[in-house]
Amino acid sequence: MHLHDVWFVLIAVLWTGYFFLEGFDFGIGVLTKLLARDRAERRVLINTIGPVWDGNEVWLLTAGGATFAAFPDWYATLFSGFYLPLLIILVCLIVRGVAFEYRAKRPDERWQRNWEHAIFWTSLLPAVLWGVAFANIARGVKIDANKDYVGGFFDLLNGYALLGGAVTLALFTFHGAVFASLKTLGPIRERARATATRVGAVAAVLAVVFLIWTQAHTGNGRSLVALIVAVVALVAALGANLAGREGWSFACSGVTIAATVAVLFLALFPDVMPSSLNPAWSLTVGNASATPYTLRIMTWCAGVATPLVLLYQGWTYWVFRKRIGTQHLAEAAH
């Protein structure tokens, strides 16, 4: 196996980790409007991800940085062609981080309500746009012989891509609802389980249609195996949620997200960005990669740094592993 193949797999793993972790993170943000009934319950939901949301975004930075270094042509075409949706995602992530930090800076109800609106919308929009972006990558976009994207913004808003956005929104919201039931106590926990059942049923229908469409369009034997894993894991997550086994449900919903990402990357390989104009103009792991020397240096650095990142992030989740409820909230003080 060549190093550019290894880095394709590693980048797929980084995106999988990002969607697994930031998925429930986005889901909690969406649920602040759909699940919480008052300010106290919204505080509880926000507090479930308070210690970890910024660490989850490290996976995005690493995935973007690895793509830039290992596949510079892929990075250039992707970020220039998808400039507007990626800019919207970036702005949302910036505003979202500010909202988490500033929401409790003043006790004024209007102040907090406005930041809560910001948390909701800046969680919902990226959840949709990431699905739209990756669906377009898997489907293929207008790339010319110079490796330039020559389509427009509205070319990205095709039926397959919009379905992909609906799938990621539904899966992330389901993942977040299961996480909320795993991390909370009392009535909010019970409502989170009920919400997970309803959202999970919608996610199952959308995901099955999207995955079958993907398999029919660009799939292969490897992606078919991942598709089966995704469907089985989603059914298992729904069953575990109904049985009140939140831990198993969360693990299975995470496997669902990971397997869904795997379907896209396995269907994509060896391309990294197919051209819908001419298959010969597609970006592949071979023609879009950096030099072998660059990839060797990156491999050594990743081998040293990755275990450290996994250790400290795992330790963070262990420290903040206990459930919380409204009874654990400190009285607001100015």
Side-chain angles (χ1 to χ4, degrees):
M1 179 181 286
H2 297 287
L3 277 180
H4 52 63
D5 297 327
V6 172
W7 273 98
F8 178 86
V9 174
L10 290 177
I11 289 171
V13 170
L14 289 171
W15 281 111
T16 301
Y18 173 67
F19 288 136
F20 178 93
L21 296 172
E22 193 85 311
F24 72 76
D25 201 322
F26 287 143
I28 291 293
V30 172
L31 291 169
T32 57
K33 294 295 183 184
L34 303 182
L35 178 61
R37 291 182 175 175
D38 53 35
R39 291 173 65 190
E41 290 190 349
R42 281 191 287 275
R43 285 181 64 191
V44 169
L45 287 177
I46 293 171
N47 286 353
T48 62
I49 59 173
V52 298
W53 68 266
D54 48 355
N56 294 344
E57 293 185 356
V58 170
W59 290 78
L60 172 61
L61 299 176
T62 309
T67 305
F68 171 77
F71 299 99
D73 287 337
W74 183 14
Y75 181 92
T77 304
L78 175 65
F79 278 78
S80 59
F82 291 26
Y83 182 82
L84 183 56
L86 292 178
L87 176 62
I88 294 172
I89 291 174
L90 177 61
V91 172
C92 284
L93 294 179
I94 293 171
V95 174
R96 189 168 179 265
V98 173
F100 282 134
E101 297 296 334
Y102 274 70
R103 176 189 170 277
K105 295 298 184 183
R106 290 171 56 183
D108 179 66
E109 182 176 354
R110 182 179 178 184
W111 169 273
Q112 295 192 0
R113 185 172 62 250
N114 288 338
W115 286 119
E116 288 164 2
H117 288 321
I119 290 172
F120 172 77
W121 287 108
T122 56
S123 298
L124 185 146
L125 287 174
V128 173
L129 291 175
W130 279 128
V132 171
F134 273 83
N136 273 298
I137 293 173
R139 175 178 177 268
V141 292
K142 295 179 179 179
I143 299 175
D144 66 11
N146 296 318
K147 302 180 181 179
D148 295 328
Y149 176 73
V150 293
F153 172 72
F154 291 102
D155 291 321
L156 304 178
L157 302 181
N158 52 81
Y160 175 75
L162 294 175
L163 176 59
V167 169
T168 50
L169 175 61
L171 284 178
F172 290 171
T173 306
F174 171 64
H175 198 38
V178 174
F179 182 76
S181 68
L182 180 66
K183 289 288 293 179
T184 57
L185 293 166
I188 193 171
R189 176 188 177 189
E190 299 303 319
R191 292 202 310 278
R193 284 178 53 195
T195 300
T197 300
R198 294 191 297 270
V199 175
V202 175
V205 174
L206 294 174
V208 168
V209 174
F210 176 74
L211 291 174
I212 291 176
W213 192 346
T214 302
Q215 183 65 26
H217 182 59
T218 56
N220 49 52
R222 298 185 300 269
S223 62
L224 179 60
V225 173
L227 185 156
I228 294 171
V229 171
V231 173
V232 171
L234 184 52
V235 172
L238 286 167
N241 178 69
L242 288 172
R245 303 295 297 272
E246 291 104 338
W248 282 106
S249 183
F250 180 72
C252 290
S253 67
V255 171
T256 301
I257 291 174
T260 300
V261 176
V263 169
L264 296 178
F265 275 94
L266 289 171
L268 192 61
F269 186 82
D271 292 338
V272 294
M273 208 165 178
S275 172
S276 61
L277 299 178
N278 186 338
W281 296 343
S282 297
L283 301 182
T284 68
V285 292
N287 66 23
S289 68
T291 63
Y293 180 75
T294 300
L295 295 178
R296 283 198 299 271
I297 296 297
M298 289 177 61
T299 303
W300 281 106
C301 293
V304 174
T306 302
L308 298 177
V309 173
L310 293 175
L311 282 173
Y312 82 68
Q313 192 162 26
W315 177 78
T316 301
Y317 277 92
W318 174 256
V319 169
F320 295 100
R321 66 190 181 277
K322 293 185 178 180
R323 296 178 183 269
I324 60 174
T326 53
Q327 64 270 33
H328 296 121
L329 296 178
E331 292 296 326
H334 181 48

